[in-house]
Amino acid sequence: MGSTGAGKSKLAIDLAAYFPIEVINADSMQVYGGLDVLTNKVPLDEQKGVPHHLLGTVNPNEEFTAKMFRDLAIPLIDRICSRNHLPVIVGGTNYYIQALVSPFLMDEAANHMDDGGLSEALGEEHPDSEVDSGESNCNVSFDRLKAIDPIAANRIHPNNKRKINQYLSLYARSGVVPSKLFQEKTVENWGRVENFRYRCCFICVDASLPVLDRYVEERVDVMVDSGLLNEVCDIYDIDADYSRGLRQAIGVREFETFLRVYLSKIGHAKVDASDTGLTYLESPKQVGEMLKENMKAILESSIEDQLKVLLEGAIESVKANTRRLVRQQKRRIQRLQTLFGWDINFVDSTEAISCRSNDSWDARVVEPAVEFIRNFQDANSSESPDLEARKHSETSLSMRDLWTQYVCKACGDRVLRGAHEWEQHRQGRSHRKRAARMKKLLGSDYVERDIRRGAGIRI
């Protein structure tokens, strides 16, 4: 497990020198075929003969869910174990791993939930991937959901057509409002160590945020040089659904405005290339081919025209959204520890990334991970979690109101889900600065938060 760029895939391959492993990919975008550069798939020559499963095997236009991942991963694990090999699940999409190891999502109906507020289902997909721009039918469906279950409706965007339809479908099949079903299933089943399908050794490859920020920015630049722009051109379709399949990936939608403006400028007409140094052709097919070459020319051009500004802005947006993803992934892993008591072993790749040091990688990442796995294998397979710790975990979970929303007034009405997330936010440096300014400005009229339940009733 771990944030993007921390070194999960590299560690898994290096572990093959110590254990007979096979890798099962748990990255929500790398499961799709295509965009190998953008999604940072491990090239075949770098896999060093280690078998990789669910890597680039799914149709990029299909919707691939956590349930589908679970249903494919379980028989894979069985076959790997039958070969006396060690299955290693590798990826930053933590809700895939949650679906696999716990009973949550074990039935068809529960596949249509949004993790009960416990974990944002976002893998490496785009932060805005679930919001639909169409409003007509969506508004009618949202109003219907709001009438049936205002608590569930309050938790999602009114234009999130996919999630609205999932909630309505779940209600139609079960006859139980989604919020009630999710809360009951969450408290009963989710994240409980004693209910795990497998005995698991969790290893998180971690690194400091400043180092990861620099590294992922550099990695985006390397991707651009390695063909990211060509991949974006190949997948671009003005009529495509960018909320499904591979087009949800960070690095696709960011270029949509540039591509739309570029194509609208050139149309299908020939233009004089003497001023721009670019070549435009009549055929749509030729336009698509030349677009790849022209994108590079635009980036290298000394002329700061609209196209260059848009293209450079798109690349910066990819970097910003990747940095945002790193933070989301770190928060989710922390939740698995604090909310559900998952026993996660951490290895620190900060020095190895910042110094580009193989020696540091081996000493601080590979060797500790090997020790964690050997200790895990040596442990008694019938060993159960400490009963008192389990009881405390159950009590803590059942006492949490996972559907309460805290709205931070100081931070522009930012919505936090649950008391745990609110407390984390409240202790953050940026919140404290904003809260101090607001308190100084408003004095006794300053209210730090609203608490909302159900359809947004203010308490």
Side-chain angles (χ1 to χ4, degrees):
M1 309 171 71
S3 303
T4 186
K8 302 180 295 294
S9 298
K10 176 176 171 56
L11 174 60
I13 292 169
D14 288 347
L15 289 175
Y18 301 85
F19 308 98
I21 74 166
E22 295 187 36
V23 169
I24 298 177
N25 168 56
D27 182 294
S28 64
M29 294 296 106
Q30 290 185 3
V31 297
Y32 293 107
L35 296 185
D36 292 355
V37 173
L38 189 148
T39 58
N40 203 40
K41 293 188 184 78
V42 180
L44 187 62
D45 62 328
E46 294 181 16
Q47 295 176 16
K48 299 180 180 178
V50 178
H52 281 64
H53 306 277
L54 299 184
L55 186 65
T57 58
V58 178
N59 186 316
N61 297 313
E62 293 181 358
E63 185 73 8
F64 191 76
T65 66
K67 178 184 179 297
M68 293 176 180
F69 170 79
R70 179 208 67 197
D71 291 347
L72 290 173
I74 287 174
L76 278 173
I77 291 172
D78 292 341
R79 290 198 292 271
I80 292 170
C81 290
S82 72
R83 294 191 284 269
N84 292 320
H85 288 178
L86 188 64
V88 179
I89 318 299
V90 182
T93 307
N94 296 308
Y95 70 101
Y96 278 15
I97 299 173
Q98 291 168 322
L100 175 63
V101 303
S102 75
F104 212 60
L105 289 176
M106 283 299 115
D107 60 88
E108 294 291 335
N111 185 46
H112 298 284
M113 46 68 69
D114 77 342
D115 297 347
L118 304 181
S119 172
E120 299 163 85
L122 280 176
E124 271 74 8
E125 62 192 67
H126 198 282
D128 300 321
S129 63
E130 291 190 346
V131 177
D132 191 286
S133 58
E135 294 185 359
S136 54
N137 294 333
C138 197
N139 284 341
V140 174
S141 298
F142 183 74
D143 289 342
R144 183 183 170 207
L145 176 63
K146 196 171 181 179
I148 294 171
D149 189 351
I151 297 177
N154 188 51
R155 287 186 46 78
I156 60 177
H157 193 286
N159 292 341
N160 190 340
K161 182 168 63 176
R162 182 175 65 175
K163 190 64 68 178
I164 292 169
N165 290 337
Q166 287 177 346
Y167 281 1
L168 291 174
S169 176
L170 177 57
Y171 175 72
R173 288 198 308 272
S174 67
V176 181
V177 294
S179 58
K180 184 174 187 296
L181 180 63
F182 297 160
Q183 283 183 302
E184 290 177 351
K185 285 183 175 295
T186 296
V187 174
E188 179 184 354
N189 295 323
W190 178 258
R192 303 271 278 276
V193 175
E194 71 273 18
N195 286 337
F196 275 5
R197 176 182 290 272
Y198 303 102
R199 294 181 60 245
C200 308
C201 176
F202 296 106
I203 299 176
C204 177
V205 187
D206 198 19
S208 70
L209 272 176
V211 169
L212 277 177
D213 283 346
R214 287 194 299 271
Y215 178 72
V216 297
E217 289 188 359
E218 293 171 2
R219 192 167 77 172
V220 170
D221 290 333
V222 171
M223 288 177 177
V224 170
D225 293 338
S226 301
L228 181 151
L229 300 180
N230 291 350
E231 291 186 342
V232 171
C233 291
D234 287 336
I235 200 172
Y236 178 70
D237 182 348
I238 195 170
D239 298 319
D241 183 355
Y242 282 81
S243 67
R244 294 175 60 84
L246 185 57
R247 287 185 173 87
Q248 300 173 81
I250 293 175
V252 176
R253 288 176 61 179
E254 288 84 353
F255 292 93
E256 188 175 8
T257 300
F258 163 79
L259 291 168
R260 188 172 62 251
V261 172
Y262 175 94
L263 293 174
S264 69
K265 278 181 176 290
I266 67 171
H268 301 311
K270 292 181 179 180
V271 299
D272 184 0
S274 59
D275 295 331
T276 63
L278 308 181
T279 302
Y280 302 133
L281 302 176
E282 289 182 346
S283 162
K285 182 178 180 181
Q286 289 175 314
V287 168
E289 289 298 319
M290 292 307 302
L291 173 56
K292 299 176 184 178
E293 182 178 337
N294 288 348
M295 286 178 78
K296 184 177 180 180
I298 291 168
L299 272 182
E300 296 174 350
S301 171
S302 59
I303 303 174
E304 292 292 329
D305 62 0
Q306 182 188 20
L307 288 175
K308 183 173 182 180
V309 171
L310 287 174
L311 184 53
E312 289 179 338
I315 294 172
E316 289 304 312
S317 294
V318 174
K319 294 178 180 180
N321 285 329
T322 306
R323 293 195 302 268
R324 178 185 174 192
L325 174 64
V326 167
R327 285 153 177 77
Q328 289 174 338
Q329 290 170 321
K330 279 179 170 284
R331 285 198 299 270
R332 291 176 201 138
I333 290 172
Q334 187 177 32
R335 285 174 184 169
L336 293 175
Q337 283 191 300
T338 57
L339 289 179
F340 315 120
W342 283 26
D343 183 14
I344 301 176
N345 303 287
F346 286 83
V347 293
D348 189 353
S349 62
T350 301
E351 181 180 303
I353 294 174
S354 59
C355 300
R356 305 291 199 274
S357 169
N358 290 330
D359 290 340
S360 176
W361 173 262
D362 291 337
R364 295 182 177 271
V365 180
V366 179
E367 291 175 8
V370 169
E371 184 176 356
F372 288 140
I373 296 172
R374 283 177 174 161
N375 291 339
F376 166 74
Q377 289 180 317
D378 292 341
N380 189 326
S381 61
S382 63
E383 181 180 350
S384 61
D386 180 80
L387 293 178
E388 286 301 316
R390 184 191 309 172
K391 182 178 179 181
H392 174 73
S393 174
E394 293 174 5
T395 303
S396 299
L397 180 59
S398 62
M399 290 177 64
R400 295 183 186 273
D401 181 358
L402 299 170
W403 287 72
T404 299
Q405 289 190 356
Y406 294 77
V407 182
C408 181
K409 310 303 292 182
C411 297
D413 289 338
R414 179 176 175 181
V415 177
L416 293 310
R417 299 175 179 178
H420 173 75
E421 188 169 314
W422 163 250
E423 287 302 319
Q424 280 192 318
H425 171 74
R426 192 172 67 86
Q427 294 168 16
R429 184 191 309 172
S430 60
H431 167 79
R432 294 200 306 270
K433 286 183 178 179
R434 293 190 183 101
R437 287 197 297 267
M438 291 282 288
K439 190 171 183 180
K440 185 176 180 180
L441 181 66
L442 300 177
S444 60
D445 293 331
Y446 170 61
V447 177
E448 186 176 33
R449 72 182 186 190
D450 287 341
I451 302 177
R452 300 181 180 181
R453 292 185 175 86
I457 300 172
R458 188 173 299 180
I459 306 299

